[in-house]
Amino acid sequence: MDHPSLPQRLLAEFLGTALLLVAVVGTSAMAAGLSPGDAGIRLLQNSSAVALALIAVIYTFGPVSQAHFNPVVSAADWILGRRTGTGLTTRQLAGYVGAQMTGALAGTMLGNAMFDRPAMTVADTTRSGGHLLLSEVVATTGLLVLIAALVRTGRGASGPGAVGAYIGAACWFTSSTCFANPAVTVARMFTGTEAGIAPGSVPGFLLAQAAALVLACGLVRFLYPRDSRVPAGSPTSNPPAGHQRCLSRAETALVSSRNRPAGTPGARPSARR
């Protein structure tokens, strides 16, 4: 897809985040009805469904918006790409975060309504304790480092499966069940399902996710100092799909032809773009 406009990208972020919350809330409601007496089975149902849904929405909207669906992912993209011009601009960051927050709230309301629940209910599930906040730091840091590692080493095409697998696993290996997303955290205040989080627990989770953002950016700059991407708008820009813009087929063919040695079958003279 060739350079989607900002409105297209914001709509993709809104829809992708909304569908992610529909999956979170909907699977929680469904699992509660199917397995009311077995918390382990409910977690298995929730984590597997959400991981698969995340893979699907990344494949669907990744070519349009890079499939962030998460304010800390967008913030990391802005922070890490400022020096090289490969990340979001400040204006784009504000738009992305706004689209993600409103999409998360809309998805929560839709998920509630689909299971004949009030569209918005203040959650009463308290999630407090240092171990939960530590889990959020670990879960969020791991997610951000994973995405940056894929992007900076040219393996963005593996993003959907890798991110989905990580989230599904982190639901099990963290005591917080891996929120790792400020938009998801805020939106889950408004569901009465097991996925909810009481308002009093939200500030701690948000602070833990912000701390993870700082930690992850430091780790990425140390471990992956070179970004394989080039500044947006460059004629040779070719970020991998999933979390970066994709070249159109025509552009890919043009770049390929330019890279062929003279005399190679199929080589063509360079054309002005």
Side-chain angles (χ1 to χ4, degrees), residues 9-140:
R9 295 164 68 186
L10 297 185
L11 179 58
E13 285 296 299
F14 174 88
L15 293 174
T17 311
L19 288 172
L20 177 58
L21 266 296
V22 168
V24 170
V25 174
T27 56
S28 182
M30 179 66 79
L34 294 175
S35 309
D38 194 326
I41 293 297
R42 293 199 302 274
L43 181 57
L44 177 61
Q45 293 163 338
N46 292 335
S47 60
S48 57
V50 170
L52 292 172
L54 182 57
I55 292 171
V57 294
I58 292 175
Y59 271 123
T60 302
F61 299 111
V64 181
S65 70
Q66 306 174 41
H68 290 190
F69 313 142
N70 186 335
V72 290
V73 172
S74 299
D77 186 66
W78 176 73
I79 292 169
L80 294 170
R82 292 188 72 188
R83 293 180 181 176
T84 57
T86 56
L88 295 176
T89 65
T90 302
R91 174 170 172 263
Q92 291 168 345
L93 174 64
Y96 267 51
V97 172
Q100 292 156 0
M101 296 298 296
T102 54
L105 291 171
T108 298
M109 295 171 64
L110 179 58
N112 287 331
M114 286 170 57
F115 284 85
D116 197 26
R117 294 170 176 266
M120 296 188 77
T121 301
V122 177
D124 58 4
T125 304
T126 300
R127 301 175 187 268
S128 60
H131 63 293
L132 296 180
L133 301 184
L134 176 60
S135 291
E136 276 301 289
V137 172
V138 171
T140 309

Side-chain angles (χ1 to χ4, degrees), residues 254 257-258 268-272:
L254 178 58
S257 69
R258 286 174 175 171
R268 295 180 297 176
S270 297
R272 178 178 296 176

